Amino acid sequence: MLRYVIRRVLLMIPTLLGVAVLIFILMRLIPGDIVEIRFAGEGGGVTEEMMAQERSRLGLDQSLVWQFVHWIVGIARFDFGISMWTGQPISYEIGLRFGLSLQIAIMATLLATLLAIPLGTLSALKQDTLIDYAVRVFSIAGLATPSFWLGILMILGFLIFFQWMPPIRYTPIWVDPVANLTQLIWPALATGYRYSAVATRMTRSAVLEVLREDHVRTARAKGLRERIVLVRHAVKNALLPIITVIGLEFAFLLGGLVVTEQVFNLNGIGLLFVKAVGNHDYTMVQALVMLVAMVFIVTNLVVDILYAWIDPRVYYR
Amino acid sequence: MGSLLEVRNLKTRFYTQGREIHAVDGVSFDIQVGETLAIVGESGCGKSVTALSLLSLIPWPPGRIIDGEVWFLGENILDFDAERMRRIRGKEISMIFQEPMTSLNPILSIGRQLTETVMAHSDGGQRAAHARAVEMLAKVGIPEPARRMTQYPHQFSGGMRQRVMIAMALICSPKLILADEPTTALDVTIQAQILALMKALSVETGVSVVLITHNLGIVARYADRVNVMYAGRIVEQGVARAIYAHPRHPYTSGLIASVPRMNEPRGRQRLVPIEGQPPDLGALGAGCRFYPRCKYRREPCRTNDPPLREVEPGHWSACLLTDLEFDPAAGS
Ligand SMILES: Nc1ncnc2c1ncn2[C@@H]1O[C@H](COP(=O)(O)OP(=O)(O)OP(=O)(O)O)[C@@H](O)[C@H]1O
Ligand SMILES: [Mg+2]
């Protein structure tokens, strides 16, 4: 198992290298560069000379190969360089926001898991009864409701009924948990609802499938208590597909919360991403893409390890 | 010897796609203490549903026991609530299923699956359950039982898994085992080993066995008495050897003609399958259910569904024909 994990970690290197090449080329294919965008506002007063000077300051006058190698060598030393737009170190810019985005993703995942597994199981058990219909309506509504829209409703609700708004300033949870949670619980709820809807539907169908399997009938025929039949012989076996869905959603949340962050006025990774793309901030976009790719790869690895932990038939060498 | 279990007029139906399937339609039989009773019949005749009904294991929806009684130790267990029924399952009456590959939980260790059975029916601790499980694995002929306890079903062969199932069925010393085609999924040599093991254990522990099969060869060898089922009914009932030697229902005689006899050389046998298909259990007519396929049918058979009738002491048949009219040799 340890050997397997080590191999997977080593395999991350070529994967990330591929991602790096791809994003590097894609960024250069977008028409216009950061210098044009920066000077776009200044109208006719910009001379070719000034632009050339700025390009050379950013290293954009070097050959593409040299730029790429320079960037990759930096990454290999965990040095992501300087944001071309703000001039700040990229690790600083991401560090400012990563905690917030990670916390929302974790809270939304917890919420979704805690909601989805009991609800989906209940729904499967009570298939085609009123309870099942209620759960299904709840989860279809979740699928149909964009998180940002739910977020807007929340904020409007707070304003209209309580004349209150969640705080805008981010406080790390270890500084002041209450202030932190009053700010971040709402976006976590808004995204967690949709997320739980996906996971609930997955749980329902997975549990229904397992309940039809022979070994569940054996468990009942042995005279096990119904609760044990359900938890130990049905839900546990249904966990594999559920974990896959939850893992994918988690990875997505870390980079994909653009609009929700905007609605709640959060300074997160998603917003940073959009701004960086808009500004053609090459180094920043490249770093963020690498980060998201890394999150996806690590999440996948964790899911695979959980698989092996739950299902003894899965054995990695 | 006395009756351990008495089944009276059991009726189980399934409701699917707007149809009512009479899967088990008025079945009555007894099981004596210590005997092996076989239930044979073609696929779909209601053997498994009969066994599952005895333990109220019919899933609703779509199925339901709509009538009948199952008397066990003086009580009708079909009247039991869920908790009392649970305490019968695995403890007094246990079950072995056909598919050893899927009947065990793939992600729980064999040991866990054995001990949880013990723990469901006793207050003794984990340690006592563990010791009992190892003892049972040894008893069913699994080498190195203590080591095998920590392994998972996929590390066992089909025959070994069925041994585990037998150990699991016997672990709480039940009075009755319902074995639903326990060897159908295994190859022939393993089949014989498993059946011999079951026979030996039933003799040793005095447990009664209901052996469900569609293999008449197995019936002749391992069963004391036999119920022949056709289309949800028992059509012939009696001592296994007597029925094998001298069937009194045309369906039984057809079944016997359709399987190879062990004591005759293969080349000379002529196997005669029963023509036609069993009736649709969702649309049964008034007459004898075997009428459309019967070689001896008469006009009255078309409209009269004959009840079981004692044709000689201890031997019952649901056929209008008397012995004189029914000569197996004449028909073929
Ligand atoms: N879950 C179910 N839903 C609907 N119909 C069912 C269900 N289980 C059994 N039946 C019906 O009940 C009838 C009897 O089935 P049963 O499984 O008892 O047959 P069997 O004699 O055990 O056959 P086999 O030798 O194939 O195991 C079949 O016709 C089948 O269509
Ligand atoms: Mg069956």
Side-chain angles (χ1 to χ4, degrees):
Chain A
M1 190 68 190
L2 185 67
R3 271 183 51 194
Y4 172 77
V5 173
I6 292 173
R7 222 187 46 212
R8 281 286 296 264
V9 170
L10 288 179
L11 266 176
M12 284 164 76
I13 295 171
T15 312
L16 286 173
L17 206 63
V19 172
V21 172
L22 211 64
I23 187 60
F24 186 86
I25 294 175
L26 279 177
M27 280 314 286
R28 264 69 182 178
L29 285 179
I30 307 175
D33 69 2
I34 181 163
V35 179
E36 285 170 24
I37 295 198
R38 172 159 289 168
F39 290 143
E42 316 214 344
V46 185
T47 62
E48 279 299 317
E49 209 171 311
M50 287 166 71
M51 287 183 59
Q53 203 175 5
E54 181 69 5
R55 286 207 174 96
S56 106
R57 188 179 69 81
L58 294 173
L60 292 177
D61 54 347
Q62 309 279 351
S63 79
L64 284 184
V65 175
W66 189 89
Q67 287 183 39
F68 183 76
V69 170
H70 183 74
W71 176 53
I72 285 293
V73 168
I75 287 185
R77 291 181 290 139
F78 294 100
D79 173 10
F80 288 91
I82 306 282
S83 161
M84 289 185 176
W85 189 261
T86 63
Q88 300 272 16
I90 284 179
S91 48
Y92 168 78
E93 295 275 7
I94 291 181
L96 267 187
R97 299 162 171 92
F98 191 68
L100 179 146
S101 288
L102 183 67
Q103 192 189 339
I104 293 181
I106 289 176
M107 286 200 303
T109 303
L110 280 180
L111 180 87
T113 311
L114 292 180
L115 216 59
I117 291 179
L119 275 186
T121 307
L122 187 71
S123 183
L125 270 187
K126 306 280 177 190
Q127 190 189 8
D128 296 328
T129 64
L130 216 61
I131 296 176
D132 182 29
Y133 292 138
V135 172
R136 281 158 74 183
V137 167
F138 178 76
S139 54
I140 287 178
L143 285 180
T145 314
S147 310
F148 68 86
W149 189 71
L150 189 62
I152 293 175
L153 285 189
M154 280 180 170
I155 291 190
L156 285 180
F158 293 145
L159 277 177
I160 292 170
F161 296 110
F162 306 104
Q163 284 78 49
W164 180 79
M165 248 185 72
I168 291 177
R169 254 187 75 83
Y170 169 63
T171 328
I173 193 160
W174 55 88
V175 174
D176 182 352
V178 176
N180 171 280
L181 287 178
T182 42
Q183 182 192 21
L184 295 189
I185 196 93
W186 313 110
L189 276 174
T191 48
Y193 176 38
R194 204 202 108 80
Y195 186 174
S196 78
V198 177
T200 303
R201 289 173 65 83
M202 192 54 167
T203 306
R204 178 178 181 275
S205 65
V207 170
L208 271 180
E209 200 162 301
V210 175
L211 281 177
R212 273 193 288 268
E213 280 174 16
D214 285 350
H215 76 260
V216 173
R217 187 182 56 188
T218 308
R220 292 218 169 90
K222 291 196 294 190
L224 301 187
R225 290 182 176 80
E226 197 55 30
R227 194 176 47 79
I228 295 185
V229 172
L230 201 65
V231 175
R232 197 183 292 161
H233 289 270
V235 176
K236 194 174 173 219
N237 295 57
L239 278 182
L240 296 180
I242 301 172
I243 287 176
T244 310
V245 165
I246 288 179
L248 276 180
E249 288 275 321
F250 173 78
F252 168 77
L253 280 190
L254 259 177
L257 283 185
V258 182
V259 191
T260 309
E261 282 174 6
Q262 207 141 24
V263 167
F264 285 96
N265 237 315
L266 297 170
N267 195 10
I269 295 284
L271 221 53
L272 182 65
F273 216 142
V274 172
K275 276 193 217 147
V277 170
N279 295 336
H280 286 48
D281 188 346
Y282 294 160
T283 43
M284 180 61 88
V285 173
Q286 285 164 194
L288 284 171
V289 167
M290 297 302 283
L291 178 72
V292 171
M294 186 88 175
V295 168
F296 264 94
I297 294 173
V298 170
T299 312
N300 258 324
L301 179 60
V302 170
V303 166
D304 283 348
I305 292 172
L306 283 177
Y307 257 64
W309 181 60
I310 292 174
D311 189 340
R313 287 169 298 180
V314 179
Y315 184 72
Y316 303 120
R317 256 187 295 213
Chain B
M1 283 222 297
S3 288
L4 176 69
L5 187 103
E6 294 172 15
V7 181
R8 292 289 168 263
N9 195 32
L10 184 68
K11 291 188 181 172
T12 303
R13 297 200 178 154
F14 290 93
Y15 303 87
T16 49
Q17 292 150 7
R19 282 154 37 94
E20 191 178 15
I21 312 273
H22 298 232
V24 174
D25 201 27
V27 159
S28 303
F29 60 92
D30 295 349
I31 299 161
Q32 307 296 317
V33 174
E35 81 168 336
T36 296
L37 172 76
I39 301 182
V40 303
E42 283 167 299
S43 191
C45 68
K47 307 182 295 291
S48 298
V49 173
T50 301
L52 291 169
S53 298
L54 300 188
L55 283 175
S56 294
L57 283 171
I58 300 294
W60 169 259
R64 190 166 262 178
I65 300 169
I66 59 151
D67 197 10
E69 294 151 14
V70 175
W71 293 91
F72 180 71
L73 305 175
E75 288 179 291
N76 177 10
I77 59 176
L78 289 189
D79 284 344
F80 281 13
D81 62 19
E83 175 58 18
R84 287 188 76 192
M85 194 67 219
R86 180 190 77 72
R87 275 186 265 137
I88 297 280
R89 294 179 190 148
K91 173 84 175 83
E92 306 289 347
I93 304 176
S94 55
M95 208 158 166
I96 299 171
F97 296 99
Q98 172 173 353
E99 266 304 327
M101 292 322 209
T102 57
S103 296
L104 291 165
N105 188 338
I107 67 172
L108 284 187
S109 71
I110 293 298
R112 185 71 182 273
Q113 296 189 57
L114 287 164
T115 54
E116 70 177 357
T117 315
V118 181
M119 313 262 286
H121 299 292
S122 78
D123 305 325
Q126 178 77 44
R127 190 171 299 176
H130 188 271
R132 174 73 179 151
V134 174
E135 177 193 338
M136 284 314 297
L137 285 182
K139 200 166 207 169
V140 297
I142 290 183
E144 298 185 77
R147 188 175 66 82
R148 298 292 255 172
M149 288 280 285
T150 59
Q151 296 188 337
Y152 292 87
H154 69 278
Q155 292 162 298
F156 287 71
S157 67
M160 281 295 163
R161 285 189 214 191
Q162 207 58 306
R163 285 174 195 262
V164 171
M165 285 297 289
I166 293 170
M168 208 145 82
L170 284 168
I171 201 163
C172 292
S173 312
K175 301 190 175 61
L176 175 63
I177 292 184
L178 310 172
D180 188 357
E181 311 206 24
T183 60
T184 309
L186 306 173
D187 52 29
V188 187
T189 45
I190 311 284
Q191 274 190 20
Q193 290 174 12
I194 295 289
L195 287 165
L197 171 70
M198 287 184 54
K199 188 81 199 168
L201 288 172
S202 79
V203 168
E204 183 189 327
T205 62
V207 63
S208 306
V209 178
V210 172
L211 182 62
I212 295 176
T213 175
H214 48 237
N215 182 341
L216 273 168
I218 289 178
V219 174
R221 258 184 186 210
Y222 297 98
D224 302 310
R225 289 188 311 133
V226 56
N227 289 334
V228 181
M229 276 189 84
Y230 185 73
R233 290 268 180 89
I234 292 176
V235 294
E236 186 161 4
Q237 194 170 58
V239 174
R241 284 174 196 288
I243 288 184
Y244 201 60
H246 193 26
R248 300 293 294 263
H249 193 285
Y251 176 63
T252 317
S253 125
L255 269 188
I256 292 172
S258 69
V259 297
R261 295 221 171 207
M262 305 217 180
N263 48 10
E264 279 174 33
R266 266 172 207 278
R268 274 207 252 126
Q269 292 182 33
R270 208 158 52 87
L271 300 185
V272 195
I274 307 176
E275 301 275 325
Q277 295 295 319
D280 179 357
L281 293 175
L284 291 165
C288 174
R289 288 168 190 199
F290 191 55
Y291 175 81
R293 303 168 78 185
C294 184
K295 283 187 293 196
Y296 307 95
R297 64 185 180 201
R298 304 280 164 86
E299 187 50 26
C301 303
R302 199 165 56 80
T303 47
N304 293 320
D305 190 11
L308 275 177
R309 171 169 75 84
E310 193 161 20
V311 289
E312 62 188 341
H315 188 166
W316 302 69
S317 168
C319 183
L320 282 178
L321 300 176
T322 64
D323 196 23
L324 290 176
E325 297 163 300
F326 170 53
D327 174 8
S332 49

